[in-house]
Amino acid sequence: KQEVTQIPAALSVPEGENLVLNCSFTDSAIYNLQWFRQDPGKGLTSLLLIQSSQREQTSGRLNASLDKSSGRSTLYIAASQPGDSATYLCAVTNQAGTALIFGKGTTLSVSS
Amino acid sequence: NAGVMQNPRHLVRRRGQEARLRCSPMKGHSHVYWYRQLPEEGLKFMVYLQKENIIDESGMPKERFSAEFPKEGPSILRIQQVVRGDSAAYFCASSSDSSQPQHFGDGTRLSIL
């Protein structure tokens, strides 16, 4: 059974810092991996999607990597801003491509 | 707004009543997914539908829960005879096909009195 774990559960950093969020999964047979952002009381915003054949994706200040063999992904956020404060969720798509399996998230707080 | 639309945003029901949650996918999307987020827990997959067909319902409780995505109109998640444990945020997502990113709505917060 696929399990997704995110570490740390919470993180507080001052504005301007670079930071890394970690995600690990137990079954390497994934279809793809997606990083989301969730603001309080809101839905999820897709940040980056990495297909199983890819190693990384970049969008602006965000960079996500995928190492399928070790069952790990990282989300790198450069030059963090207070507006980055949110919960970041990692999810893998099962091999059938029918369902996302989520971690419990990392809640990020960036202080000005 | 071309995003995934869910309504209502908040729904309050008494134990034993029925809850109906609606989801209109993004324009051009024919794949719909329902997820549930219980307090202090992560999002859990419930069901995946394409127009008029249930593709994967492995995450849906066997009793009281049902989902549909008719040819015309929104997808509906129906919970019969609700209990306190059904209180959660229910999210709908849609995609153009299963290899593409899933786009989420803002969810329906269901509270059971």
Side-chain angles (χ1 to χ4, degrees):
Chain A
K1 180 187 171 187
Q2 178 74 272
E3 291 183 4
V4 179
T5 304
Q6 291 188 246
I7 295 173
L11 181 64
S12 292
V13 300
E15 183 177 6
E17 271 204 12
N18 302 324
L19 57 100
V20 174
L21 307 181
N22 297 292
C23 172
S24 61
F25 47 95
T26 53
D27 186 348
S28 62
I30 62 171
Y31 195 71
N32 57 42
L33 182 144
Q34 214 167 337
W35 282 93
F36 294 89
R37 168 188 173 135
Q38 185 175 27
D39 292 285
K42 292 287 191 178
L44 281 67
T45 300
S46 179
L47 299 173
L48 291 163
L49 180 143
I50 311 177
Q51 300 290 354
S52 61
S53 58
Q54 297 175 321
R55 294 296 298 252
E56 68 176 338
Q57 283 286 339
T58 298
S59 175
R61 295 182 293 110
L62 305 179
N63 175 276
S65 68
L66 174 63
D67 184 344
K68 261 183 53 173
S69 60
S70 66
R72 292 180 183 178
S73 175
T74 61
L75 179 66
Y76 175 82
I77 303 177
S80 58
Q81 303 170 357
D84 294 331
S85 298
T87 296
Y88 290 81
L89 297 167
C90 168
V92 298
T93 304
N94 63 2
Q95 203 166 29
T98 58
L100 284 168
I101 301 155
F102 283 87
K104 291 188 178 182
T106 295
T107 299
L108 172 66
S109 176
V110 181
S111 55
S112 55
Chain B
N1 186 343
V4 177
M5 301 300 293
Q6 290 188 249
N7 68 81
R9 290 293 311 280
H10 301 273
L11 182 61
V12 180
R13 286 287 177 266
R14 295 189 181 279
R15 280 178 295 172
Q17 291 184 321
E18 178 180 288
R20 282 186 178 234
L21 288 60
R22 294 175 188 78
C23 170
S24 296
M26 283 181 68
K27 189 175 181 181
H29 286 188
S30 60
H31 299 239
V32 166
Y33 313 79
W34 286 93
Y35 295 85
R36 176 166 65 175
Q37 189 171 37
L38 292 165
E40 307 305 320
E41 292 193 21
L43 280 119
K44 303 289 186 189
F45 167 78
M46 298 181 74
V47 62
Y48 163 43
L49 310 100
Q50 293 181 35
K51 278 290 186 182
E52 300 184 273
N53 293 303
I54 295 175
I55 307 302
D56 181 352
E57 57 182 347
S58 57
M60 197 131 81
K62 295 288 186 285
E63 297 179 352
R64 303 187 297 109
F65 285 73
S66 62
E68 62 177 13
F69 188 16
K71 188 176 180 181
E72 302 290 338
S75 175
I76 306 286
L77 179 66
R78 182 183 177 204
I79 311 172
Q80 295 178 289
Q81 299 176 314
V82 295
V83 301
R84 288 246 169 91
D86 296 333
S87 295
Y90 291 81
F91 289 95
C92 170
S94 73
S95 67
S96 55
D97 69 57
S98 58
S99 68
Q100 296 302 308
Q102 294 183 22
H103 297 267
F104 282 74
D106 282 345
T108 293
R109 271 83 183 160
L110 175 63
S111 298
I112 308 304
L113 302 180

